[in-house]
Amino acid sequence: MYTIVGIERKKGVYDGREYDNTILHTTFEKDGKATVEGLCTQSFKVKTNICPAVVLGDCVDFMYDRYGNVVHVSVVS
């Protein structure tokens, strides 16, 4: 589970193809045997048309396709 701490939108044209992505900047707690002080961070690129309405502080989880692309974002209560 990831907590949203930043939301960024990137639109444009690359090699003649339009793109519209939302970058969700998140924090998460690392589990396992590693020693970590504080929180870890990770950013996820999501196509804007499949990104739900999220706000800072929301907890989310991600589903991926076989190529590692985000295909679904679930907002967790």
Side-chain angles (χ1 to χ4, degrees), residues 2 7 9 15 17 23-26 32 34 36 54 59 67:
Y2 301 85
I7 302 169
R9 185 146 180 208
D15 282 344
R17 297 174 61 188
I23 312 301
L24 299 178
H25 301 284
T26 67
V36 176
V54 293
C59 293
Y67 304 107

Side-chain angles (χ1 to χ4, degrees), residues 4-11 19-26 42-48 51 54 56 62 70 73:
I4 295 176
V5 295
I7 302 169
E8 177 181 5
R9 185 146 180 208
K10 293 185 175 183
K11 295 171 68 172
Y19 65 88
D20 185 359
N21 297 314
T22 298
I23 312 301
L24 299 178
H25 301 284
T26 67
Q42 187 168 354
S43 297
F44 295 89
K45 180 175 76 171
V46 181
K47 293 192 181 298
T48 298
C51 188
V54 293
L56 299 181
F62 300 92
V70 175
V73 180

Side-chain angles (χ1 to χ4, degrees), residues 17-74:
R17 297 174 61 188
E18 290 187 24
Y19 65 88
D20 185 359
N21 297 314
T22 298
I23 312 301
L24 299 178
H25 301 284
T26 67
T27 60
F28 65 97
E29 290 187 29
K30 183 109 176 178
D31 57 351
K33 298 179 182 178
T35 302
V36 176
E37 290 186 35
L39 298 171
C40 298
T41 63
Q42 187 168 354
S43 297
F44 295 89
K45 180 175 76 171
V46 181
K47 293 192 181 298
T48 298
N49 64 339
I50 67 164
C51 188
V54 293
V55 295
L56 299 181
D58 279 352
C59 293
V60 294
D61 204 3
F62 300 92
M63 290 179 61
Y64 307 91
D65 65 12
R66 67 183 185 170
Y67 304 107
N69 300 311
V70 175
V71 294
H72 184 74
V73 180
S74 298

